[in-house]
Amino acid sequence: MSLFNVYPLFDVTPVKGKDVFVYDTDNTKYLDLYGGHAVISIGHAHPNYTKAITDQVNALGFYSNSIQNPLQVELAKKITSISNCHDYHLFLCNSGAEANENALKLASFHTNKKKVIAFKNSFHGRTSAAVAATDNPKIVAPINAQQEVAFLEFEDLVGVEKALQTNDVCAVIIETIQGVGGLDEASTHFYQGLERLCKEYNTLLIADEIQSGFGRTGDFFAFQKHGITPDIISMAKGMGNGFPIGGILIHPKIEASFGLLGTTFGGNHLACAASLAVVNVLQEENLINNVKEISAYFIEKLKEIPQVTAIKGRGLMLGIEFSYPIASLRKSLLFDQHIFTGSAKNPNLLRLLPSLTLQKEHVDTFINALQKELKAVTL
């Protein structure tokens, strides 16, 4: 039996990792500046993380959500403490797509409406309503396309209000900083305007923090820079440092009832142990402040490179834009310089999503490698 061939694969096989590095089958060392799509938040094989998972699986790896699980309660308290999102309620699931799926479903239940407003270049997942709210027709099957979604431009508050005036919109869903779409971020005026309009038209505002949450931008959630209070906050990726876990934070105005949402594996004992370890390391090692410091240094160094036309994003969610496609540059960085990087919908954008443990010496390694490859391009 062969694998269902849906992923274009680089010819690299990582077999172990340590902090910001991974090693392949030949023991070649790679600097990982992509973190498996922003998943590795506290570094590969962090000792506190591996111990937490090991201890938990030795005690109890799984039981269903039909019993008490104090780890879920502890995780809810920890996330509240580090994020300052007080009074929200936590529902745990397994992935970012599932988090957004539950967020959209909950918005529809709460408002008794069914239409969704999303934004151009958005990416919210590959399942049902989540993929319908993703601006990529190639991955939207006919069964998904039956969802009613309006795609608008960033900053278009006039268009948002016009769409809301039909009074059939259950949710406005937005990535504070777009990931796959190319690291674009709208203005504070826009996000605050969205919040105001959602309240006015009885529509829920969903902040998709799947990629930008858990400290990646220098705030625990990226929306916090803009002073808004979303009705639902979706999260995953860096939440488990590689262990599958996702969740939504739900505003207290949204009432729960038995059976409203559900999941078999979501919030299982191992997943909670993994996420608790992540939150503890973020606090103990002051990693969110590290993100701010390293990001400032990173951006300063990037500004010295003349071929860089723009630097997008915040914290350690950065996009480096050039005046030409970066596909060959990315391959050179991988195979010649042994550095993992990412791409985006924007073909000219190199996307960086490293562990929040990144240090200045790692930035210097990348800058030197990038300059070397750019010099080779101009020769």
Side-chain angles (χ1 to χ4, degrees), residues 115-120 132-133 147-153 159 163 169 171 173:
K115 192 171 180 179
V116 174
I117 292 175
F119 295 89
K120 292 183 180 178
Q147 308 281 352
E148 295 184 45
V149 181
F151 289 99
L152 302 176
E153 298 282 355
V169 177
I173 185 168

Side-chain angles (χ1 to χ4, degrees), residues 307-312 319-323 326 346 348-350:
Q307 295 94 328
V308 174
T309 60
I311 303 165
K312 295 185 174 182
I320 308 171
E321 192 167 29
F322 297 87
S323 60
I326 54 84
N346 177 351
N348 297 354
L349 194 85
L350 194 68

Side-chain angles (χ1 to χ4, degrees), residues 62-66 72 90-95 97-103 105-106 109 246-248 250 255-268:
F62 173 82
Y63 206 80
S64 77
N65 283 305
S66 61
Q72 292 186 359
L90 174 65
F91 177 78
L92 291 165
C93 53
N94 304 284
S95 69
E98 191 180 347
N100 282 333
E101 204 69 46
N102 280 291
K105 182 179 181 180
L106 199 55
F109 270 132
I248 51 176
I250 304 161
E255 294 185 5
S257 61
F258 292 153
L260 187 69
L261 302 177
T263 170
T264 297
F265 295 105
N268 67 71

Side-chain angles (χ1 to χ4, degrees), residues 263-284:
T263 170
T264 297
F265 295 105
N268 67 71
H269 295 73
L270 269 178
C272 286
S275 193
L276 280 166
V278 170
V279 174
N280 287 335
V281 170
L282 287 176
Q283 291 179 311
E284 292 163 6

Side-chain angles (χ1 to χ4, degrees), residues 12 20-24 28-32 334 338-340:
V12 177
V20 297
F21 297 102
V22 293
Y23 301 80
D24 69 9
T28 302
K29 182 179 180 181
Y30 296 81
L31 175 61
D32 183 9
L334 177 61
H338 301 136
I339 299 176
F340 284 13

Side-chain angles (χ1 to χ4, degrees), residues 54 59-60 84 114 123 179 186 211 214 340 373 377:
T54 301
L60 178 66
N84 292 317
K114 63 179 181 178
F123 187 96
Q211 191 172 124
F214 268 68
F340 284 13
E373 291 303 323
V377 170

